[in-house]
Amino acid sequence: TRTNIRGLPAGMGEFKPFSELPYGRFFEDDAEHSIVLSQRTLQNMGIRIDDPSQPERAGRDEDDELVDLPPDSLLGREIELVSSVLDNRGLARSFMMGLPPTTRSAFREETTTLTIIGIEALTGGFESGRFRGGAMVPIDTAEEVPRLGFSRVWDLLGRKGDREGFASVYVRVRSIDDLEPARAVVDSLGFGVLAIADELEEFRRNFLIFDSLLGAVGTIALIVASLGIVNTMVTSILERTREIGIMKAIGGSEIDIRRIFFVEAATIGVLGGVLGVLLAWVVTRIANVVANAHMRPEGFAEVDFFYLPGWLILGAIGFSIAVSLLAGVYPAMRAARVDPVKALRHD
């Protein structure tokens, strides 16, 4: 398979996620001839980790072409890392021999043998792998691997005046509070800075727009539901005019009448809230199963996209009761003002 190789110092093993490899270990020395593979890379090679404790093991397709192997059978085995380098001698020899251009190759392959010492956890669908690559090797070992001497197009074009060095540097801060000060320092040095906070801010902005749209739809739904409750209660008043007149004739006060209709409105709110929560739970479970069914063949770990905590369920039911009570204010006040004489004459 083809993948990106990351050269990392052994000291990175003290930080997450490198300190929490599920299988094997991280590098102990910068010159160690070893490699840590990602499970995505192994899957591209036709190998899947056979671990019963992994949740993504459930629901695997029986007709896939991946071979299930226990991690212990991979750790300690040697793997060949094939890289490309410029073959100036071969190209010059072909030119001197008068070979046609189509038979000249400017590159040759170099093979480096490394030992597998660790396997990364299978990342989820929303996790970025750009900071990891498909495989990791110690930084000194990465320097020894024969490879093309460029990582940017400017290196290939031979732009002059640049000192040799790194094309990019990842800076890790101890806490989120140190992010902005560190960013300001690096930015003052004249480097271009891309912080994860920038991406988080963009995600936050997109979610804000999405939440606003959902909020607008929800507001319209609440207005329609409130009008429906008002219509139901007013219709109930018209149908029970004689009943209201009888209750007032035998001593029922306006407070009693209002209380009756408020209780009915609250009952509608309770039933609507409970049924709404149950419907939401069923729909989210179905959506979660469908989404994971599409992600599982791609090798992604299962993700629970929806979460309904207890406070949210109780809050939804309470909010439904509050909306129903507000919608029942006008019908209750109207019922309390019914004239018992006219009500008794009502057919």
Side-chain angles (χ1 to χ4, degrees):
T1 185
R2 179 177 298 177
T3 186
N4 292 325
I5 303 297
R6 296 285 182 179
L8 297 177
M12 291 295 291
E14 300 178 4
F15 305 97
K16 295 180 180 180
F18 312 113
S19 60
E20 298 180 346
L21 295 180
Y23 314 108
R25 60 174 177 85
F26 198 70
F27 317 124
E28 296 179 351
D29 185 81
D30 290 340
E32 184 178 352
H33 282 262
S34 57
I35 187 170
V36 174
L37 298 175
S38 69
Q39 292 196 43
R40 189 78 58 219
T41 299
L42 288 173
Q43 290 180 357
N44 293 337
M45 298 171 64
I47 299 173
R48 179 171 49 203
I49 296 299
D50 185 12
D51 186 356
S53 64
Q54 287 187 344
E56 63 270 13
R57 178 181 173 85
R60 290 177 175 174
D61 297 332
E62 297 296 336
D63 55 347
D64 60 19
E65 299 180 355
L66 297 179
V67 177
D68 292 321
L69 292 178
D72 292 340
S73 66
L74 297 174
L75 299 176
R77 297 188 63 174
E78 293 184 344
I79 188 172
E80 290 185 347
L81 178 63
V82 181
S83 56
S84 296
V85 296
L86 288 175
D87 188 10
N88 296 324
R89 294 182 179 179
L91 186 61
R93 185 164 51 252
S94 299
F95 178 78
M96 295 297 295
M97 295 177 63
L99 296 176
T102 55
T103 62
R104 304 171 192 167
S105 176
F107 305 98
R108 73 174 188 275
E109 293 183 346
E110 292 285 346
T111 302
T112 303
T113 302
L114 301 173
T115 302
I116 303 175
I117 63 170
I119 300 174
E120 286 189 276
L122 186 64
T123 57
F126 296 98
E127 295 183 47
S128 175
R130 63 175 182 169
F131 297 108
R132 305 183 187 181
M136 299 177 294
V137 298
I139 189 167
D140 290 347
T141 303
E143 290 289 340
E144 299 175 0
V145 174
R147 64 192 184 282
L148 294 177
F150 68 92
S151 58
R152 299 172 298 173
V153 65
W154 295 114
D155 299 331
L156 182 61
L157 295 178
R159 188 176 64 175
K160 297 180 180 180
D162 285 349
R163 294 177 298 176
E164 292 185 359
F166 296 100
S168 60
V169 176
Y170 297 131
V171 179
R172 181 188 293 267
V173 296
R174 294 185 181 276
S175 67
I176 191 66
D177 297 332
D178 299 330
L179 179 60
E180 288 303 325
R183 177 176 180 174
V185 172
V186 177
D187 189 57
S188 65
L189 297 176
F191 295 101
V193 181
L194 175 62
I196 298 180
D198 297 331
E199 297 185 8
L200 294 179
E201 186 63 29
E202 185 66 23
F203 286 143
R204 191 178 295 110
R205 188 179 300 110
N206 293 335
F207 276 114
L208 180 60
I209 297 175
F210 191 65
D211 289 343
S212 301
L213 295 175
L214 291 179
V217 174
T219 302
I220 296 174
L222 284 176
I223 294 175
V224 173
S226 300
L227 292 177
I229 295 174
V230 172
N231 180 71
T232 301
M233 301 294 291
V234 171
T235 303
S236 176
I237 292 172
L238 295 177
E239 293 177 349
R240 299 160 58 187
T241 302
R242 286 181 59 85
E243 178 183 339
I244 296 173
I246 293 173
M247 286 189 291
K248 299 190 71 173
I250 62 177
S253 63
E254 292 185 359
I255 296 179
D256 295 329
I257 303 301
R258 284 197 296 267
R259 185 181 295 114
I260 291 174
F261 281 88
F262 273 131
V263 170
E264 292 183 2
T267 302
I268 294 176
V270 171
L271 293 177
V274 172
L275 293 177
V277 169
L278 291 177
L279 180 61
W281 184 84
V282 172
V283 171
T284 54
R285 289 300 92 192
I286 295 175
N288 198 72
V289 171
V290 173
N292 281 289
H294 284 83
M295 294 173 55
R296 193 178 298 111
E298 301 297 328
F300 294 112
E302 291 190 3
V303 178
D304 194 357
F305 293 97
F306 304 96
Y307 175 58
L308 296 177
W311 64 265
L312 180 60
I313 295 176
L314 296 178
I317 296 176
F319 185 75
S320 176
I321 296 174
V323 171
S324 299
L325 289 175
L326 289 176
V329 170
Y330 170 72
M333 299 297 294
R334 178 170 175 172
R337 291 196 300 266
V338 171
D339 188 348
V341 177
K342 293 181 178 180
L344 292 174
R345 293 177 180 176
H346 183 78
D347 184 63

